[in-house]
């Protein structure tokens, strides 16, 4: 007596000073906090009761402890690009969760995601999680995602992600154009394509036959355009192994060779060693040779003797063929 005055205070600031009800010796001051925000976490509230200026006020205190979902999830300075074969440490920072969040990592595309092992440490108000990625060609274009979930708020995850841009040297493969065989006849056209997988894109594609460079020369029937090579009206001299090479800032690559066979009718060898005039005595034997080139090399020879009086096919028993 008299009835006390009741105040709610925090940090010496009065929050509520109205007594809602009194019943006998009981007085009640009810503090209502609408729209409780995370700023109230760890706030100390004190109810102070006093009814005179002689005795010290009586007080009772409490501390508000809140369960909080993460405030943000953020990848810390993720790399803009990754070089194939190099190891990268990528960190995810999560802040503001209480209790501590569960942090998971996944790597994949829209169709499938694979979990990744990580090292996670929890502090007072922040958690950090780190994964180690050794960049490979298969990682290019995949999305690396960090997800944090407060176990008390499972329906409210927070994520941050990066689309991996992995740079790597080219891989080149050579193939013939549609409908073109690796065995052709003289006079036909031949088309090659150089298929390249690289990141960043190639800045140069080159062509070789028998390790000799092929250059764009339309007047000679050679057309180089982009990743294609066209040979117009091939001759037997264009037979052999063809290779394409591709270059980007990460390196160079050569395809496996593709062999082109050009079939042609028999022609005399260009060796210049064939005898055209033979001298012999009457009745003596003469060995007359004929050396030719052809593809395929399976040949059938026939000989005809011509003079001013007659033309005679020689019998098979006087014809000998050597490989």
């Amino acid at each position: 007596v008299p009835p006390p005055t009741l105040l709610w205070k925090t940090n010496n600031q009065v929050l509520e000073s109205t007594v809602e009800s009194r019943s006998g010796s009981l007085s009640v001051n009810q503090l209502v906090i609408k729209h409780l925000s995370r700023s109230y976490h760890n706030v100390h509230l004190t109810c102070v009761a006093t009814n005179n200026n002689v005795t010290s006020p009586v007080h009772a205190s409490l501390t508000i402890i809140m369960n909080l979902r993460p405030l943000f999830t953020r990848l810390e300075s993720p790399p803009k690009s990754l070089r194939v074969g190099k190891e990268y440490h990528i960190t995810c920072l999560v802040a503001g969760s209480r209790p501590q969040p569960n942090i998971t990592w996944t790597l994949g595309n829209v169709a499938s995601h694979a979990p990744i092992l990580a090292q996670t440490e929890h502090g007072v108000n922040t958690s950090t999680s780190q994964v180690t990625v050794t960049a490979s060609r298969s990682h290019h274009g995949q999305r690396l995602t960090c997800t944090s979930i407060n176990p008390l708020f499972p329906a409210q995850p927070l994520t941050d992600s990066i689309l991996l841009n992995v740079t790597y040297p080219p891989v080149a493969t050579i193939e013939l154009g549609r409908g073109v065989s690796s065995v052709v006849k003289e006079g036909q056209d031949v088309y090659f394509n150089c298929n390249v997988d690289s990141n960043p894109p190639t800045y140069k594609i080159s062509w070789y036959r028998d390790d000799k460079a092929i250059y764009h020369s339309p007047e000679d029937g050679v057309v180089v355009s982009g990743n294609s090579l066209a040979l117009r009206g091939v001759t037997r001299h264009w037979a052999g192994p063809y290779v394409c090479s591709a270059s980007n800032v990460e390196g160079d690559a050569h395809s496996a060779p593709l062999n082109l066979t050009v079939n042609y009718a028999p022609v005399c060898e260009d060796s210049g060693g064939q005898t055209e005039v033979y001298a012999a005595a009457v009745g003596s034997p003469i060995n007359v040779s004929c050396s030719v080139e052809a593809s395929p090399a399976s040949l059938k020879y026939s000989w005809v003797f011509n003079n001013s009086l007659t033309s005679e096919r020689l019998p098979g028993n006087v014809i000998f063929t050597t490989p």
Side-chain angles (χ1 to χ4, degrees):
V1 181
T5 298
L6 301 178
L7 301 175
W8 281 101
K9 302 177 69 175
T10 181
N11 294 329
N12 293 322
Q13 177 184 357
V14 176
L15 299 178
E16 177 61 60
S17 60
T18 303
V19 175
E20 281 78 15
S21 64
R22 299 184 190 276
S23 175
S25 62
L26 179 65
S27 299
V28 176
N29 182 345
Q30 187 178 55
L31 175 64
V32 177
I33 301 175
K34 297 181 180 180
H35 307 297
L36 191 66
S37 66
R38 65 172 55 240
S39 63
Y40 281 91
H41 179 60
N42 271 336
V43 168
H44 298 280
L45 299 177
T46 302
C47 179
V48 180
T50 180
N51 66 350
N52 60 68
N53 295 327
V54 179
T55 59
S56 298
V58 178
H59 62 269
S61 298
L62 61 87
T63 301
I64 299 176
I65 303 297
M66 300 179 65
N67 294 321
L68 303 169
R69 65 185 182 90
L71 191 60
F72 64 80
T73 297
R74 183 176 65 217
L75 296 179
E76 293 289 276
S77 302
K80 294 182 179 179
S81 64
L82 295 80
R83 194 171 189 179
V84 69
K86 188 176 178 181
E87 187 176 88
Y88 295 84
H89 303 289
I90 303 175
T91 301
C92 181
L93 176 66
V94 181
S97 178
R98 190 182 182 280
Q100 295 171 345
N102 296 326
I103 303 176
T104 57
W105 292 81
T106 57
L107 177 64
N109 49 38
V110 176
S112 64
H113 290 79
I116 301 179
L117 295 178
Q119 293 182 337
T120 301
E121 295 181 354
H122 297 288
V124 176
N125 191 48
T126 61
S127 300
T128 58
S129 183
Q130 185 179 84
V131 293
T132 300
V133 176
T134 300
S136 69
R137 306 170 77 92
S138 62
H139 290 153
H140 180 61
Q142 295 194 358
R143 185 168 293 279
L144 179 66
T145 303
C146 173
T147 302
S148 67
I149 300 178
N150 185 317
L152 299 181
F153 304 91
Q156 297 176 312
L158 288 181
T159 66
D160 194 14
S161 66
I162 178 177
L163 190 65
L164 298 184
N165 176 30
V166 180
T167 61
Y168 50 87
V171 172
T173 57
I174 186 174
E175 66 177 6
L176 290 163
R178 181 176 300 179
V180 178
S181 170
S182 61
V183 179
V184 298
K185 295 180 180 180
E186 269 194 319
Q188 290 184 323
D189 296 339
V190 179
Y191 304 93
F192 297 94
N193 293 318
C194 188
N195 300 319
V196 181
D197 175 24
S198 71
N199 186 45
T202 56
Y203 62 81
K204 181 177 69 174
I205 292 179
S206 304
W207 294 90
Y208 301 88
R209 182 182 65 85
D210 282 333
D211 296 327
K212 296 179 180 178
I214 300 173
Y215 299 103
H216 181 69
S217 180
E219 61 274 13
D220 296 321
V222 180
V223 179
V224 177
S225 177
N227 66 334
S228 299
L229 169 66
L231 305 177
R232 310 288 191 186
V234 296
T235 68
R236 61 185 185 276
H237 304 294
W238 284 97
Y242 284 76
V243 170
C244 72
S245 73
S247 304
N248 71 358
V249 294
E250 294 293 332
D252 307 305
H254 289 74
S255 71
L258 190 158
N259 193 68
L260 177 67
T261 299
V262 180
N263 289 339
Y264 56 95
V267 294
C268 291
E269 283 187 345
D270 294 332
S271 61
Q274 298 197 67
T275 302
E276 297 183 359
V277 178
Y278 292 82
V282 175
S284 63
I286 300 175
N287 291 325
V288 181
S289 64
C290 175
S291 298
V292 298
E293 296 177 343
S295 179
S298 177
L299 300 173
K300 182 179 179 181
Y301 290 85
S302 63
W303 289 81
V304 176
F305 177 76
N306 290 311
N307 61 21
S308 58
L309 298 177
T310 183
S311 176
E312 180 183 354
R313 183 179 294 276
L314 299 182
N317 61 352
V318 298
I319 300 174
F320 301 94
T321 303
T322 59

